[in-house]
Amino acid sequence: MKTRQILLLIVVSVVLLSSCTTKKNSKQISSPNGSIVLTTFLSDDGKPGYEVTFDDGVVIDSSFLGYLLNDSINLTHQLKLDSVSNSTFNETWERSWGESRKVNNHYNQLTLNLSTQTSPFYNFKIVFRVFDDGIGFRYEIPKQAGLDSININKEETQFHLVGDLTAWWIPGDWESYEHLWTKSRLSEIDAGAKRNHPNLSCTLIPDSLAVNTPLTMEGNGYYLSIHEAELVNYADMTLHVDGQTHTLTSALVPWPDGIKVKTKTPMQSPWRTIEIVKEPGELIASNLIVNLNEPSKIENTDWIKPSKYMGIWWEMHIGKSSWAPTWNNPGATTENAKKYIDFASKHHIDGLLVEGWNTGWENWLDTATQIFDFVTPYPYFDIDEVIRYGKERGVNLIGHHETSGDVATYDRLMDSAYQYYEDKGVKYVKSGYVGDITPKQYHHSQWMVNHYLRAVTKAADHHIMLDVHEPIKATGLRRTWPNLLSREGLRGQEFNAWSETNPPSHTATIPFTRMLGGPVDFTPGIFNIKFNEYKKDKQVNTTLAKQLALYVVIYSPVQMAADLPEHYEKHLDAFKFIEDVPVNWEQTKVLNGAVGEYVTIARQERGTDNWFIGSITNEEGRDFDVPLNFLQEGNYKAVIYSDGPDAHWDKNPVSYTIDSLNVTNKDSLHLKLAQGGGAAIALFHQ
Ligand code: NOJ
Ligand code: CA
């Protein structure tokens, strides 16, 4: 060896020794704009790990990764790094519906090829993608000798946070996401306190220290949200929180036998995602989750259309009518459907959901299985007549599949159930999974994840668009399956009708948490806020103007006008906003926001220069200026629906004012939101 080479070797060894005594094989990539830097490493005992900085400050400290598989395969330590590869990707794609027409997908990628140090030898990969607004990473286990079937006993993905951050969390419930968010420090998380919720038909919170995702947190000068993307053939990831070390560890929802995931090589996990931004509104603007999903598998998407709808629905929730003929008067009569269709048709609402039209509801909510066949109407509902009447008036029937959690039966009948609707020209179906799953499975298990996707692909075969209630969490699959329009997967408006109601802060939290996963069927638009004639002790805890603002703030390509026609008749001037507000957007701008407190969002209507603004607040009243500099050139007519001067979510929720004025992009609007209030603005380009 020449002297120069020996010297170089010594220098390299010294550098390695001094900087990497516990971390070897460090690799680094940064986001396209350089603000986020990801460093991967192997510890002395061969544990793979990563760290993340944002604007030079650490946001994820040394965090380890890996799997425990089958009987004794340990892919968490004593690993070696065989090779690495890097790549860059930058493309802008278009979507047929969404918060924006165009989506930029720009990231740098690093792949670690790892293997066990000792025999029997196994290899796997960890793929990292670093975007300007966060990172995603996933595990991939290739096909290889001695590793065909895989049982994942534990996924050990850590997120080691820097300090006792403030988090907005719901419990890591294996059966339901329908909880209120709690704001607390990580060390104060107590998911156990949310057990035995009286209004959840199915709930199981095994770990008092586990939360679900998206988990949004505030750090020192930044916001983080941890979630997952492309949840396919895998279990929902909850996060176990160690409040002392501020470390979150993936905790997958198991099969009944305790195994988390049963699969075969080659396999890949969903992406583990961390959105990292300065301002909370940037979380809402992020496209990281959809970008980490595959392009559409549906080639011709012309039949997929966003839509507004009404429903024979809220009247059951408030107790005016019922789903079953044996309870009180059933809501799903031909006559009642025609009444809704008349109103919808007159006010340009394209769809009518009818629940309770098919036999079986009298046995709903008990433990009976095989109660619904999805295709037999009650004698008082003439489905063909309702479809004909609606069609003549431009209102589509929206079908309903309440499975009552009996997925065994639904799987068996699904094809014929979709075929039934397809034959009748019904293009939208709302589905639901209230209650325990049959066969015994948790709602958020791998088995159910596979069922939910099976339903989406089957629906696509029948050219049917879906809106799923009690779904699996949204992880961006709408990119791959754009017929999966929307889903619930949160505590929606219905809770105001029969539970301890949603506080004003609830809707100010949703945009920064649940909505980061994807569209939300929240069912806004209740105008009869107190509905005292039906229930004295329940109410919606917002002003009427805030209900209007939700059409812009809470994104969904299917938006419900959830209240009853007779309640809308009393406020047709305010209903005009619901008539005018679109459900598909050219672009979206988040103008301000603080998690759980307030948010203002502006969206440009797809295909026009019209803009719509929604602004909402929690229990606190507030006012601010909204500069209109995002508008195109020219004159706009602004129609402003705001809280009346004396409005208050509880004391005076139905006080509102409607003003019209001419504005341009040089102007600002001064918005004044009442306590629990909001403002909705339509801006028509002249
Ligand atoms: C729960 C759903 O969230 C709700 O919208 C529906 O009305 C009932 N299940 C009945 O299916
Ligand atoms: Ca529900």
Side-chain angles (χ1 to χ4, degrees):
M1 212 182 264
K2 293 202 182 109
T3 336
R4 254 186 65 212
Q5 280 174 317
I6 294 172
L7 256 177
L8 199 67
L9 200 69
I10 293 171
V11 170
V12 169
S13 312
V14 168
V15 169
L16 278 179
L17 276 176
S18 59
S19 67
C20 301
T21 43
T22 56
K23 291 174 186 166
K24 299 181 294 195
N25 291 301
S26 275
K27 304 289 165 206
Q28 211 168 63
I29 46 165
S30 49
S31 58
N33 70 6
S35 63
I36 298 177
V37 178
L38 170 100
T39 309
T40 63
F41 61 85
L42 277 183
S43 70
D44 274 348
D45 55 351
K47 286 182 169 170
Y50 72 103
E51 295 165 352
V52 184
T53 62
F54 176 51
D55 285 348
D56 300 325
V58 178
V59 292
I60 301 285
D61 212 336
S62 297
S63 300
F64 294 106
L65 302 167
Y67 273 134
L68 300 179
L69 305 179
N70 296 0
D71 292 335
S72 58
I73 302 177
N74 190 328
L75 301 183
T76 65
H77 70 168
Q78 290 174 8
L79 301 169
K80 62 184 171 51
L81 184 62
D82 296 327
S83 62
V84 297
S85 61
N86 286 79
S87 60
T88 289
F89 189 83
N90 189 2
E91 126 191 305
T92 297
W93 54 282
E94 279 207 16
R95 49 186 167 186
S96 55
W97 56 266
E99 303 91 319
S100 64
R101 181 194 296 272
K102 293 193 173 140
V103 180
N104 181 234
N105 185 9
H106 190 188
Y107 59 82
N108 292 325
Q109 176 168 303
L110 168 72
T111 303
L112 306 180
N113 293 296
L114 298 154
S115 62
T116 50
Q117 288 171 4
T118 53
S119 162
F121 297 107
Y122 300 108
N123 62 77
F124 71 109
K125 299 170 199 279
I126 309 176
V127 183
F128 295 88
R129 289 184 183 170
V130 185
F131 303 78
D132 287 337
D133 55 5
I135 70 163
F137 58 89
R138 74 165 9 153
Y139 303 95
E140 293 182 8
I141 307 182
K143 205 163 182 53
Q144 56 198 280
L147 203 50
D148 180 28
S149 293
I150 289 183
N151 283 347
I152 296 178
N153 297 317
K154 197 157 194 315
E155 179 196 314
E156 296 224 0
T157 300
Q158 289 184 343
F159 306 88
H160 184 177
L161 302 163
V162 186
D164 196 7
L165 306 191
T166 297
W168 287 265
W169 57 271
I170 55 169
D173 194 323
W174 291 0
E175 302 278 16
S176 176
Y177 306 112
E178 299 185 2
H179 291 274
L180 290 174
W181 280 273
T182 303
K183 176 185 179 184
S184 81
R185 295 277 177 183
L186 290 171
S187 61
E188 293 160 356
I189 286 175
D190 177 13
K194 308 265 184 164
R195 281 196 188 113
N196 307 319
H197 190 297
N199 295 113
L200 294 180
S201 64
C202 199
T203 168
L204 183 64
I205 304 172
D207 179 358
S208 283
L209 296 177
V211 298
N212 217 309
T213 71
L215 176 66
T216 297
M217 291 165 284
E218 182 179 1
N220 192 0
Y222 61 90
Y223 287 80
L224 294 178
S225 188
I226 297 180
H227 189 42
E228 53 185 314
E230 204 183 35
L231 172 52
V232 172
N233 193 20
Y234 208 84
D236 173 299
M237 176 179 74
T238 72
L239 298 168
H240 173 82
V241 180
D242 181 333
Q244 299 316 305
T245 62
H246 321 128
T247 302
L248 316 178
T249 307
S250 57
L252 305 178
V253 175
W255 289 63
D257 63 8
I259 293 169
K260 309 299 189 314
V261 175
K262 303 179 184 186
T263 185
K264 277 183 174 300
T265 54
M267 71 78 69
Q268 55 189 24
S269 72
W271 295 93
R272 278 59 191 98
T273 61
I274 314 172
E275 290 176 9
I276 309 166
V277 296
K278 273 209 185 73
E279 300 295 335
E282 295 172 73
L283 294 172
I284 299 172
S286 174
N287 284 310
L288 187 139
I289 301 291
V290 271
N291 276 332
L292 286 168
N293 278 263
E294 296 293 314
S296 176
K297 290 203 201 266
I298 302 174
E299 247 171 60
N300 178 358
T301 55
D302 292 351
W303 55 277
I304 300 175
K305 294 206 164 45
S307 161
K308 277 179 279 189
Y309 71 106
M310 294 185 75
I312 299 185
W313 178 78
W314 183 244
E315 61 172 74
M316 280 93 137
H317 286 273
I318 59 177
K320 179 189 176 195
S321 67
S322 77
W323 285 271
T326 46
W327 298 351
N328 63 18
N329 58 316
T333 64
T334 307
E335 197 196 348
N336 198 24
K338 287 186 175 177
K339 188 186 96 184
Y340 276 81
I341 288 170
D342 288 341
F343 182 90
S345 164
K346 199 162 160 205
H347 297 283
H348 310 108
I349 303 293
D350 344 281
L352 176 67
L353 164 74
V354 181
E355 296 198 357
W357 69 265
N358 59 311
T359 57
W361 286 90
E362 49 283 344
N363 296 314
W364 188 50
L365 295 181
D366 63 20
T367 52
T369 54
Q370 304 189 39
I371 59 173
F372 293 117
D373 69 4
F374 310 102
V375 297
T376 309
Y378 284 115
Y380 45 78
F381 187 74
D382 183 343
I383 185 164
D384 293 322
E385 172 59 11
V386 170
I387 290 172
R388 184 201 64 77
Y389 191 85
K391 224 174 231 142
E392 249 177 46
R393 289 159 181 77
V395 180
N396 299 305
L397 178 73
I398 298 184
H400 189 218
H401 285 168
E402 174 55 65
T403 67
S404 70
D406 180 4
V407 178
T409 300
Y410 190 44
D411 267 334
R412 189 163 51 79
L413 301 180
M414 197 156 64
D415 210 15
S416 54
Y418 288 140
Q419 187 66 52
Y420 174 86
Y421 279 134
E422 190 186 3
D423 291 346
K424 293 188 182 299
V426 172
K427 298 189 170 67
Y428 300 83
V429 172
K430 170 178 168 179
S431 58
Y433 297 81
V434 171
D436 294 340
I437 300 295
T438 307
K440 176 67 204 153
Q441 288 285 349
Y442 305 112
H443 273 78
H444 304 160
S445 65
Q446 178 195 11
W447 191 87
M448 279 302 288
V449 166
N450 290 349
H451 163 78
Y452 286 115
L453 185 55
R454 204 156 53 236
V456 174
T457 57
K458 243 303 155 270
D461 290 345
H462 292 277
H463 281 195
I464 281 176
M465 295 163 266
L466 284 186
D467 171 17
V468 185
H469 278 229
E470 298 78 51
I472 192 65
K473 63 170 65 151
T475 60
L477 275 176
R478 59 172 160 146
R479 180 178 182 193
T480 316
W481 297 101
N483 67 317
L484 176 47
L485 289 177
S486 197
R487 65 183 95 202
E488 186 192 41
L490 88 170
R491 192 182 173 93
Q493 181 91 278
E494 63 188 22
F495 275 77
N496 293 319
W498 37 253
S499 81
E500 90 278 28
T501 53
N502 300 331
S505 59
H506 185 58
T507 36
T509 311
I510 291 167
F512 302 97
T513 52
R514 159 66 183 83
M515 200 171 88
L516 304 184
V520 185
D521 189 34
F522 183 75
T523 67
I526 300 305
F527 280 13
N528 183 2
I529 301 276
K530 299 258 181 184
F531 50 93
N532 279 340
E533 54 280 47
Y534 298 111
K535 288 188 177 178
K536 283 225 156 47
D537 59 332
K538 303 292 172 206
Q539 68 176 68
V540 169
N541 299 319
T542 75
T543 63
L544 188 149
K546 181 171 171 179
Q547 287 291 312
L548 295 180
L550 295 178
Y551 286 88
V552 183
V553 169
I554 299 187
Y555 173 66
S556 177
V558 282
Q559 285 284 29
M560 189 176 207
D563 212 338
L564 281 43
E566 61 262 36
H567 298 164
Y568 286 140
E569 292 286 0
K570 293 189 180 142
H571 303 284
L572 285 178
D573 55 351
F575 193 79
K576 185 70 173 62
F577 184 80
I578 302 180
E579 277 189 66
D580 290 337
V581 71
V583 276
N584 202 11
W585 306 101
E586 194 68 40
Q587 53 172 322
T588 286
K589 299 210 180 287
V590 184
L591 305 181
N592 62 28
V595 187
E597 294 180 26
Y598 63 95
V599 63
T600 307
I601 299 180
R603 304 190 196 264
Q604 183 189 351
E605 181 177 26
R606 181 76 69 103
T608 78
D609 284 342
N610 299 336
W611 285 78
F612 293 78
I613 301 175
S615 184
I616 60 169
T617 181
N618 61 358
E619 287 74 358
E620 235 177 80
R622 53 189 98 226
D623 57 328
F624 35 70
D625 288 319
V626 175
L628 299 175
N629 51 13
F630 52 84
L631 295 179
Q632 279 76 19
E633 287 300 319
N635 294 321
Y636 280 82
K637 179 184 166 200
V639 186
I640 306 166
Y641 302 75
S642 24
D643 293 320
D646 50 353
H648 179 278
W649 64 271
D650 188 30
K651 293 186 209 122
N652 196 7
V654 186
S655 163
Y656 62 89
T657 59
I658 304 174
D659 300 294
S660 287
L661 61 149
N662 295 323
V663 296
T664 71
N665 58 13
K666 311 275 175 310
D667 294 317
S668 282
L669 290 178
H670 187 74
L671 299 187
K672 199 164 178 322
L673 313 183
Q675 295 174 42
I681 301 151
L683 292 143
F684 300 104
H685 197 239
Q686 301 298 295

